[in-house]
Amino acid sequence: LLCKKILTNWGVKTLEALDESMAIQMLADNKDINLVLIDTILLEKKDFSSLVELGQTYPKLKFVIVSSDSKVS
C-alpha cells in the first residue's frame, strides 16, 4: 500500500491484483502496463516460472520483485 500511495502521488496509474491469475488478466486487459511490482507471496509457482512466462509473453515488461515473507531465502 505504501508503494501504491507513493506512485499515485507521482502521477503513476496503478492497478492492484489480489492474486497471480488476476494480475495476468490485468496484463491482458491493459496493454499499456510497462512495470509490474510483485510480492513473491502472490506467486502461485514459487520457482518464478510464471514470471519467465510473462516475460516471454510481454518482452518489454519490467518487473520489480519484492518479498514480505521473512522465510524466503
Side-chain angles (χ1 to χ4, degrees):
L1 291 175
L2 178 61
C3 287
K4 182 176 181 175
K5 185 174 183 177
I6 291 169
L7 291 171
T8 301
N9 285 342
W10 288 348
V12 175
K13 178 184 171 186
T14 62
L15 301 171
E16 187 174 350
L18 300 176
D19 58 32
E20 183 178 333
S21 59
M22 185 177 185
I24 291 169
Q25 187 60 51
M26 285 180 167
L27 285 169
D29 294 344
N30 298 277
K31 301 296 183 189
D32 61 337
I33 293 175
N34 53 27
L35 176 68
V36 174
L37 175 62
I38 188 162
D39 190 321
T40 57
I41 289 184
L42 289 180
L43 296 176
E44 293 169 7
K45 300 176 187 173
K46 298 302 179 188
D47 63 357
F48 295 91
S49 61
S50 53
L51 293 180
V52 172
E53 292 169 15
L54 284 175
Q56 292 170 342
T57 304
Y58 304 97
K60 293 185 179 182
L61 190 62
K62 304 294 185 233
F63 297 93
V64 176
I65 304 166
V66 297
S67 176
S68 60
D69 183 357
S70 62
K71 297 176 185 165
V72 173
S73 56

